[in-house]
Amino acid sequence: MTTEAQRPVPAPDDESAPFFDGAARGVLMLQRCRDCSAFHWPVCEVCTECLRDDLEWVEASGRGTVHTFGVMHRVYHPALAKDVPYNLAVVELDEGPRVSAAMVGVSNEKIRVGMPVQVAFEEMAPGVFAPKFKPR
Amino acid sequence: MAYSASFNPSGGGAIAGLGMTAMTRDYTKSASGLAAEAIRLAIEDAGLTKDDVDGLLINAGVTQGVSLGLQPTLGFRNLKLVNHMNAAGSTAGQMVQFASLAVQAGLATTVACVFADAPLRPGVSAGAAYGGAANRPRGMASLAPAYGFFGAANTMYALAARRHMALYGTTQDQLGAVAVSTRAWATMNPAAMQREPMTLEDYHNSRWIVEPFHLFDCTLVTNGAIAVIVTSAERARDLKQPPVYVIGMGQGHPGNPRRAGYENEVNTGAITARDTAFGMAGVGVGDVDVRELYDCYTYTTMVTLEDYGFCRKGEGGAFVADGRLGPGGSHPTNTGGGQLSGYYMWGMTPVSEAVIQTRGQGGERQVPQHDVVLVSTQGGILDHHATLILSPDPAAGTAKGSR
Ligand SMILES: [Zn+2]
């Protein structure tokens, strides 16, 4: 008997807890620098724009545009064999940071650079949600 | 030009020796064993002995199979210069740069620079070696594998190419043209791993890896090692091989600014590195006879050509489409088959072929005019860039007239 390969799932830790707690409530959380107001993704210790370290978690709009995307055909992880071809996308959030994620609610052939999108959370493990994006 | 220091290129460094192991998908020995072989071959090539070497610069590949421990492993004693350098794929160019500066400053006289890696072992595929499926990150970093972001470099370069296609109308055929012209060179290089001729149809028929990349858009993971010996220009003249003078060098590191306002997918560090390197060399982009560009992917060649100014930003697709990069073309590029069809020794791929071409030892594939040879080494996802300008003539810049 073979054991089925386990799908990689998000694994929240202390640092990322505000993000994953927000995702579970259906809210996209981002860090913002209290000094220069720059938004950040993913979690950072210092602000890349001013080097200060006074960062707060705030609710983001969840809106953005597709900056670029690809369609994966190669099976790098055995648990994803039944998913190929699947899409991967980089979304530029209205707040500025670019997020690596995936698109839902649209076929791979219809994804376009510049497409306006809205966050859509998906439960990827019991109680663990992650942001994907759908056309808006 | 931005460059304005007092460095005298003709009094600088030169590459006096080149050593290459077999380039193979087979596991023959460890990265240290490969490094030893490449360094021994480079020393012999230069007509030197092991005791002449007083500097060692080390660049490990994806498996980190070599490190500072290489010095005692190879029995190098009483060296004047040692470092284990890491700026990803740009390291090879940087090793030659730092070695040239060191010999010019008198820190050392004879510096061996080596890259070695053996990622392919029995039971370990190229995808497993470079794909990252074995990692289990936590926190925000755990999101990428959950979305299926594997095959790190393949995926991120494919997404970069997609951005270029969307902004500038670059086509799949144009990416394919790079694969085809590079393969045409490889058919003439006995060291290349893929020497079967390739047509554009073959390119389109190769399987998708991650769209917009087919298999033939991607480099070939390779076991092997390459070493060069850097010494002073003056000393190189008395050694066995035709000297390869380092007449220009530069670096550019855009810093991975993945946020609004930056087009990091379609701009490389070559934009910064080129001004320093060409300014130092006293030559212009129009003087370049041969281009050896880091080509982990077809797209890398195209975007690098744009950033050195061989064509305008966004016009790389049309520029490469007519086959001008191939044998007999107006812009010979990656004349040994590059990383796409030759061998993937990170930055040592372009460095090694540039040494061969500058010496005039390319045999069937030798480019007749090789007074100015451009080398680009590229790391991360277009994050790090190091440029070398090589010449068989230490005064090539003076001869061409400063521009
Ligand atoms: Zn700030």
Side-chain angles (χ1 to χ4, degrees):
Chain A
M1 181 181 134
T2 55
T3 8
E4 203 173 320
Q6 275 211 301
R7 223 188 148 72
V9 293
D13 58 6
D14 289 349
E15 235 186 6
S16 59
F19 174 82
F20 285 104
D21 291 349
R25 301 193 313 273
V27 177
L28 184 67
M29 298 295 287
L30 287 180
Q31 280 176 304
R32 184 174 62 186
C33 173
R34 284 194 176 98
D35 285 296
C36 78
S37 303
F39 288 87
H40 296 287
W41 169 284
V43 176
C44 52
E45 216 178 328
V46 297
C47 173
T48 53
E49 308 311 293
C50 74
L51 296 186
R52 295 191 182 90
D53 58 3
D54 191 7
L55 298 154
E56 60 179 341
W57 284 95
V58 295
E59 289 190 13
S61 65
R63 285 192 300 272
T65 55
V66 174
H67 181 71
T68 186
F69 69 97
V71 177
M72 178 64 81
H73 288 257
R74 179 162 179 165
V75 178
Y76 284 100
H77 193 291
L80 301 177
K82 58 187 180 303
D83 292 0
V84 293
Y86 60 85
N87 76 73
L88 299 164
V90 174
V91 169
E92 184 172 299
L93 300 174
D94 284 0
E95 289 81 2
R98 293 196 191 124
V99 174
S100 295
M103 293 285 290
V104 292
V106 58
S107 66
N108 294 341
E109 296 72 31
K110 295 231 164 98
I111 303 172
R112 293 287 177 269
V113 169
M115 182 180 255
V117 296
Q118 174 71 42
V119 70
F121 290 95
E122 187 172 302
E123 187 168 19
M124 302 190 79
V128 181
F129 291 75
K132 292 190 175 180
F133 292 87
K134 64 183 181 193
R136 63 174 157 93
Chain B
M1 291 279 176
Y3 180 75
S4 64
S6 60
F7 177 73
N8 171 15
S10 59
I15 299 173
L18 170 66
M20 295 173 59
T21 67
M23 296 297 144
T24 174
R25 309 275 289 179
D26 299 325
Y27 185 87
T28 55
K29 52 182 140 179
S30 70
S32 310
L34 292 164
E37 183 182 337
I39 291 171
R40 179 174 57 74
L41 292 170
I43 293 169
E44 286 172 12
D45 183 61
L48 293 167
T49 66
K50 184 179 169 224
D51 290 341
D52 292 319
V53 174
D54 61 1
L56 177 64
L57 297 178
I58 302 157
N59 177 202
V62 70
T63 65
Q64 292 293 309
V66 286
S67 63
L68 277 180
L70 192 64
Q71 185 196 345
T73 299
L74 304 191
F76 282 113
R77 292 168 197 129
N78 200 26
L79 296 182
K80 293 176 172 169
L81 181 83
V82 176
N83 213 325
H84 174 195
M85 294 180 56
N86 179 19
S90 74
T91 314
Q94 294 206 27
M95 289 195 296
V96 173
Q97 295 179 359
F98 286 111
S100 298
L101 295 170
V103 297
Q104 190 184 2
L107 277 178
T109 65
T110 312
V111 182
C113 307
V114 66
F115 171 88
D117 202 13
L120 301 166
R121 282 174 287 123
V124 180
S125 71
Y130 275 84
N135 305 332
R136 285 205 182 73
R138 295 185 59 77
M140 300 300 269
S142 69
L143 285 166
Y147 295 128
F149 269 90
F150 290 108
N154 288 350
T155 302
M156 296 316 291
Y157 273 93
L159 268 62
R162 172 74 71 196
R163 180 77 185 163
H164 197 277
M165 294 166 100
L167 288 178
Y168 306 119
T170 309
T171 67
Q172 200 79 52
D173 276 354
Q174 291 167 345
L175 292 175
V178 175
V180 170
S181 63
T182 309
R183 177 64 62 87
W185 286 112
T187 63
M188 297 185 282
N189 182 3
M193 289 179 14
Q194 297 281 341
R195 297 196 294 270
E196 290 294 305
M198 183 204 294
T199 64
L200 194 57
E201 193 184 354
D202 296 332
Y203 164 81
H204 284 293
N205 289 337
S206 72
R207 69 177 188 271
W208 286 118
I209 300 297
V210 48
E211 290 178 57
F213 283 168
H214 287 280
L215 179 67
F216 289 167
D217 285 295
C218 307
T219 186
L220 297 154
V221 175
T222 308
N223 288 349
I226 297 180
V228 293
I229 306 293
V230 174
T231 187
S232 67
E234 190 179 32
R235 183 140 172 270
R237 279 190 272 279
D238 299 330
L239 295 178
K240 194 165 128 194
Q241 295 289 349
V244 174
Y245 298 101
V246 181
I247 64 167
M249 54 177 105
Q251 296 185 23
H253 306 273
N256 195 1
R258 311 223 192 287
R259 56 197 302 121
Y262 296 91
E263 285 289 354
N264 47 275
E265 288 90 352
V266 300
N267 292 289
T268 76
I271 294 169
T272 301
R274 70 170 185 217
D275 287 346
T276 314
F278 282 115
M280 187 185 297
V283 301
V285 67
D287 295 318
V288 174
D289 299 312
V290 184
R291 284 141 289 268
E292 305 298 346
L293 309 181
Y294 200 96
D295 62 333
C296 44
Y297 301 94
T298 50
Y299 171 63
T300 322
T301 303
M302 185 188 289
V303 72
T304 304
L305 287 164
E306 290 177 355
D307 287 349
Y308 277 105
F310 291 104
C311 60
R312 278 186 289 193
K313 178 52 66 187
E315 293 178 356
F319 185 77
V320 303
D322 69 358
R324 76 180 76 201
L325 308 188
S330 59
H331 288 70
T333 300
N334 293 345
T335 54
Q339 300 173 332
L340 290 172
S341 288
Y343 43 87
Y344 187 47
M345 289 284 105
W346 293 23
M348 274 299 186
T349 299
V351 168
S352 57
E353 179 65 11
V355 170
I356 292 167
Q357 289 287 337
T358 308
R359 287 176 176 179
Q361 297 174 344
E364 197 190 348
R365 69 182 192 281
Q366 178 63 44
V367 178
Q369 175 97 9
H370 52 92
D371 294 338
V372 178
V373 178
L374 173 67
V375 180
S376 95
T377 60
Q378 169 79 58
I381 314 299
L382 310 176
D383 296 322
H384 301 287
H385 203 100
T387 302
L388 299 173
I389 301 178
L390 306 180
S391 178
D393 174 7
T398 323
K400 298 280 179 188
S402 194
R403 17 192 111 191

PDB file of all heavy atoms in Angstrom, chain B residues 81-95:
ATOM      1  N   LEU B  81      45.230  34.900  -0.400  1.00  0.00           N
ATOM      2  CA  LEU B  81      43.866  35.369  -0.675  1.00  0.00           C
ATOM      3  C   LEU B  81      42.954  34.147  -0.771  1.00  0.00           C
ATOM      4  O   LEU B  81      43.246  33.227  -1.547  1.00  0.00           O
ATOM      5  CB  LEU B  81      43.857  36.121  -2.011  1.00  0.00           C
ATOM      6  CG  LEU B  81      42.535  36.710  -2.469  1.00  0.00           C
ATOM      7  CD1 LEU B  81      42.310  38.065  -1.800  1.00  0.00           C
ATOM      8  CD2 LEU B  81      42.504  36.886  -3.982  1.00  0.00           C
ATOM      9  N   VAL B  82      41.893  34.122   0.037  1.00  0.00           N
ATOM     10  CA  VAL B  82      40.900  33.041  -0.054  1.00  0.00           C
ATOM     11  C   VAL B  82      39.526  33.619   0.243  1.00  0.00           C
ATOM     12  O   VAL B  82      39.378  34.438   1.148  1.00  0.00           O
ATOM     13  CB  VAL B  82      41.171  31.912   0.984  1.00  0.00           C
ATOM     14  CG1 VAL B  82      40.069  30.854   0.917  1.00  0.00           C
ATOM     15  CG2 VAL B  82      42.510  31.255   0.749  1.00  0.00           C
ATOM     16  N   ASN B  83      38.519  33.196  -0.515  1.00  0.00           N
ATOM     17  CA  ASN B  83      37.144  33.514  -0.132  1.00  0.00           C
ATOM     18  C   ASN B  83      36.178  32.546  -0.796  1.00  0.00           C
ATOM     19  O   ASN B  83      36.440  32.024  -1.871  1.00  0.00           O
ATOM     20  CB  ASN B  83      36.770  34.955  -0.493  1.00  0.00           C
ATOM     21  CG  ASN B  83      35.790  35.554   0.508  1.00  0.00           C
ATOM     22  OD1 ASN B  83      34.923  34.868   1.038  1.00  0.00           O
ATOM     23  ND2 ASN B  83      35.940  36.833   0.769  1.00  0.00           N
ATOM     24  N   HIS B  84      35.078  32.322  -0.079  1.00  0.00           N
ATOM     25  CA  HIS B  84      33.950  31.538  -0.602  1.00  0.00           C
ATOM     26  C   HIS B  84      32.893  32.575  -0.941  1.00  0.00           C
ATOM     27  O   HIS B  84      32.283  33.160  -0.056  1.00  0.00           O
ATOM     28  CB  HIS B  84      33.464  30.574   0.490  1.00  0.00           C
ATOM     29  CG  HIS B  84      32.232  29.809   0.125  1.00  0.00           C
ATOM     30  ND1 HIS B  84      31.489  29.139   1.059  1.00  0.00           N
ATOM     31  CD2 HIS B  84      31.621  29.600  -1.049  1.00  0.00           C
ATOM     32  CE1 HIS B  84      30.456  28.549   0.462  1.00  0.00           C
ATOM     33  NE2 HIS B  84      30.522  28.821  -0.815  1.00  0.00           N
ATOM     34  N   MET B  85      32.736  32.844  -2.219  1.00  0.00           N
ATOM     35  CA  MET B  85      31.927  33.981  -2.637  1.00  0.00           C
ATOM     36  C   MET B  85      30.528  33.561  -3.043  1.00  0.00           C
ATOM     37  O   MET B  85      30.327  32.488  -3.599  1.00  0.00           O
ATOM     38  CB  MET B  85      32.618  34.707  -3.800  1.00  0.00           C
ATOM     39  CG  MET B  85      33.929  35.338  -3.356  1.00  0.00           C
ATOM     40  SD  MET B  85      34.763  36.202  -4.701  1.00  0.00           S
ATOM     41  CE  MET B  85      33.501  37.334  -5.216  1.00  0.00           C
ATOM     42  N   ASN B  86      29.569  34.428  -2.762  1.00  0.00           N
ATOM     43  CA  ASN B  86      28.201  34.120  -3.167  1.00  0.00           C
ATOM     44  C   ASN B  86      27.429  35.372  -3.553  1.00  0.00           C
ATOM     45  O   ASN B  86      27.025  36.143  -2.696  1.00  0.00           O
ATOM     46  CB  ASN B  86      27.443  33.381  -2.054  1.00  0.00           C
ATOM     47  CG  ASN B  86      26.022  33.083  -2.467  1.00  0.00           C
ATOM     48  OD1 ASN B  86      25.686  33.094  -3.660  1.00  0.00           O
ATOM     49  ND2 ASN B  86      25.166  32.823  -1.495  1.00  0.00           N
ATOM     50  N   ALA B  87      27.247  35.550  -4.841  1.00  0.00           N
ATOM     51  CA  ALA B  87      26.253  36.498  -5.342  1.00  0.00           C
ATOM     52  C   ALA B  87      25.502  35.748  -6.441  1.00  0.00           C
ATOM     53  O   ALA B  87      25.379  36.194  -7.575  1.00  0.00           O
ATOM     54  CB  ALA B  87      26.891  37.778  -5.848  1.00  0.00           C
ATOM     55  N   ALA B  88      25.056  34.561  -6.061  1.00  0.00           N
ATOM     56  CA  ALA B  88      24.289  33.663  -6.945  1.00  0.00           C
ATOM     57  C   ALA B  88      24.995  33.518  -8.300  1.00  0.00           C
ATOM     58  O   ALA B  88      26.214  33.377  -8.355  1.00  0.00           O
ATOM     59  CB  ALA B  88      22.859  34.163  -7.069  1.00  0.00           C
ATOM     60  N   GLY B  89      24.239  33.553  -9.379  1.00  0.00           N
ATOM     61  CA  GLY B  89      24.813  33.282 -10.700  1.00  0.00           C
ATOM     62  C   GLY B  89      25.794  34.330 -11.184  1.00  0.00           C
ATOM     63  O   GLY B  89      26.489  34.115 -12.178  1.00  0.00           O
ATOM     64  N   SER B  90      25.863  35.474 -10.496  1.00  0.00           N
ATOM     65  CA  SER B  90      26.820  36.504 -10.916  1.00  0.00           C
ATOM     66  C   SER B  90      28.197  36.281 -10.307  1.00  0.00           C
ATOM     67  O   SER B  90      29.127  37.036 -10.586  1.00  0.00           O
ATOM     68  CB  SER B  90      26.315  37.902 -10.535  1.00  0.00           C
ATOM     69  OG  SER B  90      26.441  38.143  -9.143  1.00  0.00           O
ATOM     70  N   THR B  91      28.341  35.252  -9.477  1.00  0.00           N
ATOM     71  CA  THR B  91      29.584  35.085  -8.717  1.00  0.00           C
ATOM     72  C   THR B  91      30.798  34.855  -9.607  1.00  0.00           C
ATOM     73  O   THR B  91      31.881  35.374  -9.316  1.00  0.00           O
ATOM     74  CB  THR B  91      29.456  33.911  -7.714  1.00  0.00           C
ATOM     75  OG1 THR B  91      28.216  34.022  -7.026  1.00  0.00           O
ATOM     76  CG2 THR B  91      30.599  33.907  -6.727  1.00  0.00           C
ATOM     77  N   ALA B  92      30.660  34.086 -10.673  1.00  0.00           N
ATOM     78  CA  ALA B  92      31.827  33.778 -11.504  1.00  0.00           C
ATOM     79  C   ALA B  92      32.446  35.057 -12.057  1.00  0.00           C
ATOM     80  O   ALA B  92      33.660  35.251 -11.992  1.00  0.00           O
ATOM     81  CB  ALA B  92      31.450  32.828 -12.631  1.00  0.00           C
ATOM     82  N   GLY B  93      31.603  35.950 -12.573  1.00  0.00           N
ATOM     83  CA  GLY B  93      32.106  37.230 -13.062  1.00  0.00           C
ATOM     84  C   GLY B  93      32.755  38.007 -11.932  1.00  0.00           C
ATOM     85  O   GLY B  93      33.816  38.616 -12.099  1.00  0.00           O
ATOM     86  N   GLN B  94      32.148  37.959 -10.768  1.00  0.00           N
ATOM     87  CA  GLN B  94      32.697  38.681  -9.621  1.00  0.00           C
ATOM     88  C   GLN B  94      34.024  38.096  -9.161  1.00  0.00           C
ATOM     89  O   GLN B  94      34.920  38.830  -8.746  1.00  0.00           O
ATOM     90  CB  GLN B  94      31.701  38.648  -8.467  1.00  0.00           C
ATOM     91  CG  GLN B  94      30.433  39.419  -8.767  1.00  0.00           C
ATOM     92  CD  GLN B  94      29.765  39.905  -7.491  1.00  0.00           C
ATOM     93  OE1 GLN B  94      30.422  40.105  -6.486  1.00  0.00           O
ATOM     94  NE2 GLN B  94      28.472  40.094  -7.534  1.00  0.00           N
ATOM     95  N   MET B  95      34.178  36.777  -9.213  1.00  0.00           N
ATOM     96  CA  MET B  95      35.457  36.167  -8.821  1.00  0.00           C
ATOM     97  C   MET B  95      36.575  36.708  -9.704  1.00  0.00           C
ATOM     98  O   MET B  95      37.653  37.063  -9.211  1.00  0.00           O
ATOM     99  CB  MET B  95      35.388  34.634  -8.925  1.00  0.00           C
ATOM    100  CG  MET B  95      34.518  33.990  -7.862  1.00  0.00           C
ATOM    101  SD  MET B  95      34.775  32.192  -7.693  1.00  0.00           S
ATOM    102  CE  MET B  95      34.234  31.583  -9.275  1.00  0.00           C
TER     103      MET B  95
END
